[in-house]
Amino acid sequence: APPVQGHDEL
Amino acid sequence: MNLFRLLGDLSHLASILVLLHKIQTSRSCRGISFKTQALYVAVFVARYLDLFWRYISLYNSAMKVFFIGSSCYILYLMKYRYRPTNDPSIDTFRIEYLLVPCAILSLIFNYNFMPTEILWSFSIFLESVAILPQLFMLQRTGEAEAITTHYLAALGIYRALYIPNWIYRYFTEGVIDPIAVTAGIVQTGLYLDFFYVYFTKVLQGQKFELPA
């Protein structure tokens, strides 16, 4: 599954 | 972090500094849509409040604080200090046509059905269309001060740079964020007309004027 890994983008 | 994203973020930062510069030096917020600025506050608050529970880097946190703080400050300038120069009669876009669909979309498309993730999706969708009241106002008045167009150009370039950033991340990290990518492509698309006039007129030293 895609990026709940952090939302590291602004 | 890659160069595209860094330059994109710096362009975003620059756009806000240009807007603040325009307001402070002309002592006026003429030509700026209050509705668009208010939508940006909603976007930043909805997305960046994770500041309090998710630490990514000092860079990330500092930018979040800056974007929330500066967007609120711009609203304050427009609503209080330079209120007489703000003309609501030309800022007529109905923002409920943006807020309601974005709220519905965020309930359908999110990575996890929980308040923080729904708010994140909502902010991504809302950001993609938050510029519409401003572009609508530009369309209505048919012209803009050069500095206002520099603000919009920097904002558009920020979004455009996120696209190569996603392509780069796909190939180097194997990550893909379908919600952010879809909304980001839509958002960049909204700037295409503006970019055309900006690059063919303003950067050639002419006035920003839309064909009648």
Side-chain angles (χ1 to χ4, degrees):
Chain A
V4 186
Q5 28 89 316
H7 296 313
D8 62 338
E9 292 178 350
L10 287 161
Chain B
M1 179 58 74
N2 59 64
L3 194 60
F4 299 115
R5 186 145 58 114
L6 180 64
L7 291 177
D9 289 345
L10 293 179
S11 182
H12 193 188
L13 202 67
S15 75
I16 291 172
L17 296 178
V18 168
L19 178 58
L20 281 170
H21 179 76
K22 175 238 159 6
I23 296 174
Q24 306 277 24
T25 53
S26 68
R27 305 185 56 77
S28 157
C29 47
R30 196 168 67 93
I32 304 298
S33 164
F34 181 81
K35 289 180 175 175
T36 282
Q37 296 306 319
L39 290 177
Y40 280 131
V41 170
V43 165
F44 295 146
V45 169
R47 194 182 316 161
Y48 295 160
L49 278 184
D50 71 352
L51 192 62
F52 293 109
W53 64 84
R54 181 190 280 142
Y55 181 80
I56 291 164
S57 64
L58 181 62
Y59 168 84
N60 187 278
S61 298
M63 291 294 249
K64 285 173 173 171
V65 170
F66 175 81
F67 288 127
I68 293 177
S70 62
S71 63
C72 290
Y73 180 59
I74 287 166
L75 275 199
Y76 157 76
L77 290 178
M78 296 187 78
K79 201 75 197 165
Y80 298 100
R81 192 166 333 160
Y82 300 119
R83 188 186 186 97
T85 64
N86 175 27
D87 183 3
S89 70
I90 52 167
D91 192 11
T92 52
F93 195 94
R94 302 281 296 270
I95 55 172
E96 51 275 38
Y97 294 152
L98 304 178
L99 290 168
V100 174
C102 287
I104 295 171
L105 281 176
S106 65
L107 291 171
I108 303 171
F109 300 101
N110 53 67
Y111 293 128
N112 210 332
F113 199 78
M114 53 195 260
T116 54
E117 283 303 310
I118 292 168
L119 272 179
W120 180 85
S121 275
F122 174 71
S123 81
I124 293 287
F125 293 132
L126 190 60
E127 186 191 350
S128 73
V129 291
I131 199 65
L132 285 176
Q134 178 67 61
L135 293 177
F136 188 70
M137 192 165 156
L138 214 60
Q139 196 74 249
R140 263 191 87 152
T141 53
E143 54 170 52
E145 294 168 78
I147 189 141
T148 303
T149 66
H150 298 326
Y151 160 65
L152 287 169
L155 207 53
I157 288 167
Y158 142 63
R159 288 319 307 187
L161 283 168
Y162 260 64
I163 294 174
N165 154 61
W166 291 320
I167 297 172
Y168 179 87
R169 295 193 79 179
Y170 174 72
F171 286 110
T172 56
E173 302 165 40
V175 295
I176 183 155
D177 182 337
I179 293 177
V181 170
T182 312
I185 289 172
V186 170
Q187 187 174 0
T188 308
L190 297 182
Y191 285 90
L192 292 180
D193 272 357
F194 167 81
F195 276 149
Y196 178 76
V197 181
Y198 183 76
F199 289 113
T200 58
K201 284 199 171 172
V202 181
L203 289 190
Q204 315 295 326
Q206 299 172 41
K207 196 170 169 14
F208 183 92
E209 269 177 324
L210 295 170

